[in-house]
Amino acid sequence: MNSSISKRLEQYTAKCPQEVLIVSVEIADEQDEIAIFKGFSSSLTRPTAFDPDVPVLPPQAKIIKIDRVASPYNPETPRYIQQGLSWDDMQVLLAELGV
């Protein structure tokens, strides 16, 4: 996965502010979950750098699944729009929005 993928996902949420993307990834054989909302990414399991130029999704990250969740995101009771999307599934939605 490269930084353009993370930028595309951030652009998607900037265009769809009513959604939060919860991206499950594998980074260096460790699982991580990234929340992407209104154009910004934040790790739910690791520290996130203060510098927005430091990608939360590094180039070597492998997407396991993407969940689309209605905003505001409440981890106790998430309101799923779609669950378990693959990267290929997400690319269709990105293309529809032109990102």
Side-chain angles (χ1 to χ4, degrees):
M1 185 164 132
N2 60 43
S3 64
S4 68
I5 292 173
S6 62
K7 292 291 182 201
R8 289 178 70 197
L9 293 173
E10 289 172 350
Q11 289 172 353
Y12 175 87
T13 62
K15 288 187 174 192
C16 298
Q18 73 283 4
E19 290 186 33
V20 178
L21 297 179
I22 305 298
V23 184
S24 298
V25 297
E26 186 176 297
I27 302 169
D29 296 326
E30 290 186 28
Q31 300 277 328
D32 195 359
E33 281 195 330
I34 311 295
I36 305 174
F37 179 59
K38 292 188 177 181
F40 295 96
S41 299
S42 181
S43 174
L44 298 177
T45 57
R46 300 173 183 231
T48 301
F50 289 110
D51 183 353
D53 291 332
V54 175
V56 176
L57 294 171
Q60 69 274 17
K62 176 185 171 196
I63 292 178
I64 298 168
K65 68 177 181 130
I66 300 172
D67 294 334
R68 296 171 60 211
V69 183
S71 167
Y73 174 61
N74 179 346
E76 300 296 319
T77 56
R79 295 176 295 138
Y80 291 101
I81 299 167
Q82 281 185 299
Q83 287 182 273
L85 293 166
S86 69
W87 172 240
D88 290 337
D89 297 332
M90 191 66 204
Q91 287 187 82
V92 173
L93 295 173
L94 296 172
E96 288 174 358
L97 283 179
V99 295

